[in-house]
Amino acid sequence: MGGYSYDELGAIFAMQGFAGISLFSVLLLMALGLAIIFGQMGVINMAHGEFMAAGAYTTYLISTLTETYIPAFMPYYFVFSIAAAFLVAGTLGYLAEFILIRHLYKRPLDTLLATWGLSLIMQQSYRSIFGAREVSPTLPEWLMGAYPATDMIDIPINGMFVLGLTIFTTLAVFYLMFKSSWGLRVRATTQNRVMAGAVGINTKKVDRYTFALGCGIAGMAGAAFTTIASTGPTTGTLYIVDTFMVVVFGGAASLFGTIASAFSIAQAQSILEFFISGSMAKVFTLLTLVIILMFKPEGLFASKVRR
């Protein structure tokens, strides 16, 4: 094929697969937060990408401050910046739910318009604070380079770190949603809000912390994103469509569906980009998803929910 030997083709597919793993990790982190907000709460959060950007800018800010004032801390700052990104994005999400979202439950179209307006406000805020140019943090040396798996295949270290972070976060979300008392309250509120309130669950508090959790996970996705690309005021908008595709294709409120969907979409786009342009790869991927959803409109793993 195209003058490549079988060994070279295998190496190329492996490298594209590893590139797809990096995209899968960011998409899954984004989609986990959105699945909680959209799947569990029914809120169409068009500002979800901007919460990711908040996490990315937090990482950049901590990197700049560390490099300027505490350079000896540079090898360790990135781990702390992930926690800081979660806290900053989660706090912004908590405030957004308290000020705006809580007035719009059971009005999905209104949440779409309101959060779209919020996304524009956040984009302009980033532009005013950090400027219009894209920025990148200075990554610690241990995140740089690649591991030579074979003579022709190099595995990027930053991609493996992001994958590890994604696995850890996914397991934490699974435990929180399905093994903890808080997750039980969230699922009870999702299945029957009136009955959950009748048995003493503070549904408003559940909503607020659930929205904050979803936004905090998006902030972690932003921190992970800085290892593979630069961040600008409109970075979040580039991923919001893909994130919604992941959640809808996997099935709203389905953690396993979100994982399967993110992996399928990321690998399809990454491998197709070797044969055709990136934009056409996205078009073919989206067209395939539309055809599948015509026959399975509930997504890969549908979940029964009573409102």
Side-chain angles (χ1 to χ4, degrees):
M1 182 185 293
Y4 292 106
S5 68
Y6 286 111
D7 289 340
E8 289 173 332
L9 279 175
I12 289 171
F13 273 103
M15 293 300 292
Q16 289 298 113
F18 283 120
I21 288 291
S22 297
L23 177 60
F24 157 72
S25 300
V26 175
L27 277 183
L28 180 55
L29 284 174
M30 282 281 287
L32 281 175
L34 192 62
I36 292 171
I37 294 172
F38 178 59
Q40 300 288 345
M41 303 173 65
V43 173
I44 304 176
N45 184 17
M46 295 301 293
H48 197 70
E50 278 59 50
F51 288 104
M52 182 195 86
Y57 275 121
T58 299
T59 304
Y60 165 74
L61 187 60
I62 293 176
S63 167
T64 303
L65 293 175
T66 303
E67 194 172 20
T68 304
Y69 298 106
I70 325 174
F73 194 64
M74 282 300 292
Y76 317 104
Y77 90 89
F78 192 78
V79 175
F80 291 93
S81 72
I82 294 172
F86 176 83
L87 291 174
V88 169
T91 301
L92 290 175
Y94 183 94
L95 294 174
E97 199 282 339
F98 179 75
I99 297 171
L100 181 66
I101 304 299
R102 68 190 177 107
H103 305 290
L104 302 174
Y105 288 121
K106 296 186 178 179
R107 293 156 59 187
L109 292 180
D110 289 346
T111 63
L112 186 152
L113 292 173
T115 54
W116 179 66
L118 177 62
S119 73
L120 296 179
I121 294 172
M122 295 177 73
Q123 286 178 29
Q124 189 55 47
S125 299
Y126 299 148
R127 193 173 285 109
S128 301
I129 297 171
F130 298 100
R133 290 186 176 182
E134 293 188 345
V135 296
S136 297
T138 302
L139 297 177
E141 291 185 6
W142 55 270
L143 270 178
M144 309 296 288
Y147 172 75
T150 68
D151 292 337
M152 291 188 291
I153 299 176
D154 291 329
I155 303 175
I157 295 175
N158 60 348
M160 292 299 99
F161 175 80
V162 173
L163 178 61
L165 174 65
T166 303
I167 293 172
F168 171 80
T169 306
T170 303
L171 292 174
V173 170
F174 176 81
Y175 176 82
L176 194 62
M177 296 301 295
F178 297 102
K179 300 296 182 180
S180 70
S181 59
W182 184 82
L184 183 62
R185 290 194 291 270
V186 172
R187 287 181 286 121
T189 303
T190 301
Q191 292 174 5
N192 195 318
R193 179 178 296 272
V194 175
M195 185 59 69
V199 298
I201 296 175
N202 188 339
T203 56
K204 291 183 179 180
K205 184 178 180 180
V206 168
D207 289 336
R208 197 156 300 147
Y209 280 103
T210 301
F211 193 86
L213 174 65
C215 294
I217 295 174
M220 292 178 67
F225 175 80
T226 60
T227 66
I228 60 176
S230 54
T231 305
T234 59
T235 293
T237 60
L238 302 177
Y239 283 84
I240 188 64
V241 174
D242 286 345
T243 307
F244 267 107
M245 281 198 307
V246 168
V247 174
V248 173
F249 182 54
S254 171
L255 179 61
F256 297 108
T258 300
I259 296 171
S261 176
F263 185 81
S264 302
I265 292 174
Q267 289 299 328
Q269 286 191 17
S270 180
I271 292 174
L272 284 173
E273 283 175 4
F274 173 69
F275 300 101
I276 54 180
S277 66
S279 57
M280 287 305 298
K282 191 177 290 289
V283 168
F284 275 106
T285 304
L286 179 58
L287 184 61
T288 303
L289 295 184
V290 169
I291 293 173
I292 293 174
L293 288 173
M294 287 175 63
F295 296 96
K296 248 185 117 49
E298 301 87 2
L300 294 177
F301 295 88
S303 131
K304 294 182 181 179
V305 175
R306 296 192 304 272
R307 296 291 180 188

